[in-house]
Amino acid sequence: QVQLVQSGSELKKPGASVKISCKASGYTFSNYALNWVRQAPGQGLEWMGWVNTNTGYPTYAQGFTGRFVFSLDTSVSTAYLEIRSLEAEDSALYYCARHEGFHYGMDVWGQGTTVIVS
Amino acid sequence: DIQMTQSPSSLSASVGDRVTITCRASRSLTRYLNWYQLKPGKAPKLLIYAASSLHTGVPSRFSGSGSGTDFNFTISSLQPEDFAIYYCQQSYDSSLTFGQGTRLEIK
């Protein structure tokens, strides 16, 4: 079935980096863009940006430029979110989610990956 | 960026009740407004897209309406599994934004 499966929880120290994976299955990877969404503790959903799975071109939301890097490995239908120079404020639940066209919503989501920076 | 304002921020209701959540955008979205359900420990679910279209497999007790800047999300008869947090999200602008969420609790 169509699914996005994310990598497991991470505990990192401030200043370190983390790379979260999001593996797609059950559909043609290049037909859907991949979004990244953050939920900080006690907060709502925050869109971080998306990556074009045809070109690999990333688009970052305001507040997610510089330390945040979206990448792909199309050979294994996997998207990655790397966060560099981790800060305590990066502690959050991170989701990947696909969309076919951005107008019509994110229809399949990963289960989320918790990152704790401490 | 387009700002999204949801109301109420929380809501208490009983099984069988009809509930409505409102989402207002800082500028016109035409009909590019989506609704999601979020439960602890589970992936968010798309319920409604393009303001009023029911996503595949979503029960018909969920509905959406509106256009321009004002949108509503309604659950016609609350079921126990509907107690969750609901978010609106604009997709008119490619810089996507979410509302702050509405927590729906059991009365």
Side-chain angles (χ1 to χ4, degrees):
Chain A
Q1 74 277 24
V2 174
Q3 58 181 352
L4 298 172
V5 178
Q6 297 183 228
S7 50
S9 298
E10 300 272 6
L11 173 61
K12 295 290 185 180
K13 295 201 178 297
S17 296
V18 68
K19 194 169 186 177
I20 300 166
S21 66
C22 171
K23 182 171 176 59
S25 61
Y27 71 95
T28 301
F29 186 64
S30 59
N31 285 355
Y32 294 78
L34 248 295
N35 296 267
W36 290 95
V37 176
R38 181 173 78 178
Q39 185 177 28
Q43 304 298 310
L45 299 176
E46 187 176 18
W47 181 71
M48 302 173 65
W50 64 285
V51 58
N52 183 316
T53 52
N54 278 301
T55 64
Y57 186 80
T59 298
Y60 299 98
Q62 285 184 21
F64 294 100
T65 55
R67 297 188 300 114
F68 299 84
V69 180
F70 305 152
S71 61
L72 302 173
D73 184 345
T74 56
S75 68
V76 289
S77 301
T78 300
Y80 301 93
L81 164 63
E82 182 178 15
I83 311 173
R84 301 168 177 168
S85 302
L86 283 163
E87 304 168 355
E89 293 70 30
D90 296 322
S91 296
L93 181 56
Y94 292 86
Y95 293 103
C96 60
R98 75 172 196 178
H99 73 237
E100 185 174 15
F102 74 85
H103 284 312
Y104 299 105
M106 293 175 259
D107 68 335
V108 177
W109 291 64
Q111 81 278 18
T113 297
T114 298
V115 174
I116 298 172
V117 183
S118 177
Chain B
D1 288 358
I2 298 175
Q3 306 306 311
M4 305 300 299
T5 303
Q6 262 182 260
S7 61
S9 56
S10 65
L11 178 58
S12 293
S14 301
V15 173
D17 283 354
R18 179 184 181 90
V19 299
T20 296
I21 299 167
T22 295
C23 189
R24 175 165 287 176
S26 58
R27 59 184 174 96
S28 177
L29 308 179
T30 63
R31 293 183 61 79
Y32 294 123
L33 188 284
N34 312 304
W35 292 95
Y36 298 86
Q37 179 191 66
L38 184 56
K39 292 183 179 180
K42 298 208 168 180
K45 286 186 179 178
L46 175 65
L47 300 178
I48 302 285
Y49 65 94
S52 61
S53 295
L54 204 61
H55 182 54
T56 305
V58 175
S60 59
R61 65 180 180 274
F62 296 98
S63 65
S65 63
S67 64
T69 61
D70 294 313
F71 299 85
N72 287 331
F73 171 80
T74 298
I75 308 173
S76 60
S77 177
L78 274 171
Q79 299 302 300
E81 61 269 28
D82 299 339
F83 292 95
I85 302 176
Y86 293 87
Y87 290 89
C88 62
Q89 176 240 327
Q90 68 81 17
S91 53
Y92 175 80
D93 189 293
S94 60
S95 184
L96 308 177
T97 45
F98 289 92
Q100 76 274 28
T102 295
R103 182 180 297 273
L104 179 53
E105 298 173 320
I106 302 173
K107 186 182 286 185

